Amino acid sequence: MPHTTAFARNQWYVAAYSHEVGRELLGRTILGEPLVLYRAEDDGTAVALADRCVHRRFPLSESRLDGDRIVCGYHGFTYDTTGACVYVPGQKRVPRTARVASYPVVEQDSLVWVWIGDPALADAGTVPRARHLDSPDWVTVRGMEPIDADYGLLVDNLLDLSHETYLHGGYIGTPEVAETPITTEVDEGAGIVRVSRHMDDAECPPFYARSTGIEGRITRWQDIEYHAPCLYLLHSRIAPAGVLPEPDGTDPNGFHTEITYAITPSTDGKVFDFWAVSRDFAKDDEEVTTFLHDFNHTVVMQDVDALNLLQKTLGTEPAGYQELSINIDTGGLAARRILARLVEEGDKPVEKVR
């Protein structure tokens, strides 16, 4: 059987980037629920409704907007921003049951988060932050790739960066990534996993050599912060070898990138891979911006191809197969425990650290 991870429904998930949601209807399936997203005309707030007309299940994302109302493209059933049907063809009385689900939405840090579970449990204050994504102190490139793999496989992939050495060699991987031991911290209550790998004398991969101009060996720090179930932050520091932060923590000679992933399940065996690279250097250099976008997209596609293949392979495994885990898997195994607990505890929302 293919590898599958159960969905924790009473959690916040990224449904789109802010720039994707506008006056054109956007269809996107999250946790098996088809959604239609758009932006209200008067105040610009993002709206998320179920993407199926109550009449004959026509996709509302393939319909049209009339002001802030969606007019179904099949028979004209019309819905307001709350999901209530306000018009049906051929009669004045609108059936009491004629409404579609409306989903809580929080828009912050250039991300549109939705809550698929019980709306009464949706607390906007528990959405984890990624402030660098729309901060003027950072320049960000971004994209999204759908993957035909279980979302747990993407969590595993991102929490064990030793694969950079082998899957991403010549791009972001060097021998030191796989050779350097990790340290792992787990905050079970908050649902946060931290994995750190500090390399004080490492080869500089092309991703950083070409964007920073550093030549020779480097100090390279990778500090992962995963907020289950959706947000992954990789705090990355690059500096010439031997150059460490000042005793007070300032780092004037370092180059910093924030690598952000939103890991959003679409359906069983399909996941949306939202990715972004933010930097605090060469902020006005368009060539660096283009390079980091194109180079990182290539890296993401290497992951996409690998995970698509892995999902197919796992689907052919006989029953009873036991996988082997080692020290590099500590963070991924902790994430699996947390994700399972979120489901088993009745999907009670975890307290997020802001």
Side-chain angles (χ1 to χ4, degrees):
M1 293 292 292
H3 183 288
T4 57
T5 305
F7 300 150
R9 296 179 66 83
N10 283 329
Q11 301 292 327
W12 291 102
Y13 293 90
V14 172
Y17 289 116
S18 291
H19 74 264
E20 294 184 283
V21 180
R23 295 296 294 167
E24 296 289 328
L25 296 170
L26 173 67
R28 191 154 281 167
T29 298
I30 309 295
L31 275 63
E33 300 289 336
L35 307 184
V36 57
L37 298 106
Y38 65 98
R39 201 170 290 283
E41 202 168 33
D42 54 350
D43 60 5
T45 58
V47 178
L49 303 178
D51 189 23
R52 296 290 184 269
C53 179
V54 295
H55 179 229
R56 291 294 182 265
R57 313 305 291 163
F58 192 80
L60 296 179
S61 58
E62 298 297 327
S63 302
R64 66 178 178 87
L65 281 174
D66 180 7
D68 284 344
R69 296 175 172 181
I70 298 182
V71 180
C72 177
Y74 195 15
H75 295 102
F77 278 61
T78 303
Y79 304 89
D80 66 16
T81 57
T82 71
C85 184
V86 296
Y87 170 81
V88 298
Q91 61 187 60
K92 292 184 178 180
R93 185 184 69 84
V94 176
R96 181 174 49 86
T97 58
R99 66 177 302 114
V100 297
S102 173
Y103 298 90
V105 173
V106 170
E107 187 171 3
Q108 66 182 25
D109 306 327
S110 77
L111 301 172
V112 178
W113 297 79
V114 296
W115 182 276
I116 300 297
D118 182 352
L121 299 178
D123 179 359
T126 64
V127 178
R129 300 305 302 263
R131 291 177 173 87
H132 51 275
L133 290 179
D134 61 1
S135 167
D137 297 326
W138 297 82
V139 175
T140 299
V141 294
R142 67 191 79 205
M144 189 276 282
E145 294 296 333
I147 307 178
D148 292 330
D150 177 77
Y151 85 98
L153 296 182
L154 182 55
V155 175
D156 278 350
N157 171 278
L158 293 173
L159 282 169
D160 173 20
L161 295 181
S162 67
H163 78 274
E164 288 183 351
T165 299
Y166 305 98
L167 188 61
H168 305 307
Y171 291 87
I172 59 175
T174 67
E176 294 81 11
V177 181
E179 294 168 357
T180 303
I182 60 170
T183 60
T184 305
E185 298 178 9
V186 182
D187 187 333
E188 295 278 356
I192 299 175
V193 180
R194 294 181 173 89
V195 180
S196 294
R197 179 182 275 106
H198 289 181
M199 297 159 274
D200 292 333
D201 182 16
E203 178 185 334
C204 188
F207 184 82
Y208 289 113
R210 290 175 58 183
S211 60
T212 67
I214 291 180
E215 298 178 357
R217 309 286 288 181
I218 60 170
T219 297
R220 182 181 185 184
W221 292 0
Q222 296 175 322
D223 294 298
I224 296 169
E225 187 180 325
Y226 171 58
H227 297 253
C230 187
L231 186 66
Y232 170 100
L233 306 172
L234 170 59
H235 313 298
S236 176
R237 175 193 186 273
I238 301 295
V243 176
L244 299 175
E246 301 294 333
D248 62 1
T250 59
D251 195 9
N253 297 309
F255 298 83
H256 306 94
T257 54
E258 293 286 343
I259 314 296
T260 307
Y261 285 88
I263 306 164
T264 300
S266 178
T267 59
D268 285 334
K270 293 183 181 297
V271 60
F272 293 119
D273 181 359
F274 294 89
W275 60 269
V277 178
S278 307
R279 72 183 190 275
D280 69 351
F281 57 91
K283 292 188 289 186
D284 296 325
D285 193 325
E286 289 298 327
E287 288 188 13
V288 172
T289 298
T290 300
F291 167 74
L292 288 177
H293 176 275
D294 295 348
F295 216 69
N296 200 69
H297 178 257
T298 298
V299 170
V300 169
M301 291 309 299
Q302 290 171 335
D303 280 334
V304 170
D305 292 341
L307 294 180
N308 286 346
L309 176 60
L310 181 57
Q311 181 73 22
K312 290 180 181 179
T313 302
L314 291 172
T316 68
E317 290 295 336
Y321 167 73
Q322 296 294 316
E323 67 180 6
L324 172 66
S325 295
I326 58 174
N327 289 342
I328 60 174
D329 303 304
T330 306
L333 294 175
R336 291 185 190 182
R337 289 198 308 273
I338 291 171
L339 293 173
R341 177 175 58 80
L342 294 180
V343 176
E344 292 167 1
E345 290 184 352
D347 279 345
K348 296 177 183 178
V350 297
E351 179 181 351
K352 301 293 186 184
V353 176
R354 294 180 64 82

